[in-house]
Amino acid sequence: MCGPETNLAEAAGLMWGYDCGILPVVADDGKVIGAITDRDICMAVATRNQLASEIKVSEVMSGAIHACRAADDVKQALKVMEREQVRRLPIVNDDGKLQGILSIRDIVLRAEDGHGKRHSEIGHEDTVGALKAICADRRPEASQRSSRKSEATQAWGHTTPFSLISARDALRAVVNSCGG
């Protein structure tokens, strides 16, 4: 976790060190006030004429908190992920203080495969449905890009004639450029 005054270079270093793509942003009283992702960091550094060490987390974090409680049903948490199109949910106590993070990865890896091989209340159908909802295009122009990608896939056999850098690779570049 980090605070709102943490700079993006420090946040990127924490993500790199803990091998994660999100950090809850926590106020001095321990309450979750937002979150920052590796994508948030990459986009901020790419679109501003500033070093990562000069940009505060509070300038780019998501202030919308979509969380669940430890006592919540996993299906409830999955529904929140679907509705809000998020892959990770902070787990908070009744005072709003961080207890952990639940990721779609956690749910997928524990989903029942239909043959009863895992003891879970969530099956593959639930997880695939949730992933589809989470990954669905949010903006109308994104839908148009998706159909152009499909045309490109048919024409070239892949979506783009150039390779794309992942957020993880970009985060590594930010950490390295800051001496981390």
Side-chain angles (χ1 to χ4, degrees):
M1 70 182 143
C2 66
E5 298 302 310
T6 304
N7 68 54
L8 297 190
E10 292 174 75
L14 288 168
M15 287 181 192
W16 186 256
Y18 289 110
D19 191 28
C20 64
I22 188 172
L23 289 175
V25 182
V26 179
D28 290 336
D29 64 0
K31 291 185 180 177
V32 178
I33 58 171
I36 187 162
T37 66
D38 47 6
R39 184 179 190 282
D40 296 332
I41 293 171
C42 293
M43 295 306 295
V45 171
T47 60
R48 299 173 183 218
N49 193 22
Q50 292 178 280
L51 296 172
S53 59
E54 298 171 345
I55 305 169
K56 292 182 180 180
V57 165
S58 61
E59 296 175 44
V60 298
M61 71 181 204
S62 167
I65 306 300
H66 308 292
C68 62
R69 305 219 185 287
D72 287 351
D73 180 76
V74 175
K75 287 187 178 189
Q76 285 177 282
L78 199 58
K79 291 294 180 199
V80 173
M81 289 178 172
E82 288 179 32
R83 183 182 67 243
E84 302 302 333
Q85 290 187 293
V86 295
R87 295 173 187 265
R88 306 165 193 105
L89 289 176
I91 301 169
V92 297
N93 65 15
D94 291 336
D95 296 325
K97 293 184 180 178
L98 184 67
Q99 303 297 299
I101 293 192
L102 175 67
S103 73
I104 189 70
R105 179 182 183 272
D106 298 329
I107 295 170
V108 167
L109 292 176
R110 287 163 183 82
E112 191 172 301
D113 70 1
H115 300 291
K117 294 204 178 181
R118 295 220 185 242
H119 299 287
S120 173
E121 56 194 82
I122 301 291
H124 281 154
E125 296 81 20
D126 297 317
T127 56
V128 169
L131 281 170
K132 283 183 176 183
I134 291 166
C135 296
D137 292 328
R138 297 177 192 194
R139 301 171 298 181
E141 63 271 16
S143 302
Q144 293 170 349
R145 279 196 307 272
S146 289
S147 73
R148 286 194 301 268
K149 283 182 187 177
S150 296
E151 293 167 12
T153 300
Q154 291 171 0
W156 298 320
H158 51 79
T159 57
T160 178
F162 54 88
S163 64
L164 296 174
I165 186 169
S166 72
R168 190 88 179 137
D169 293 334
L171 183 61
R172 182 180 301 125
V174 169
V175 170
N176 290 338
S177 71
C178 297

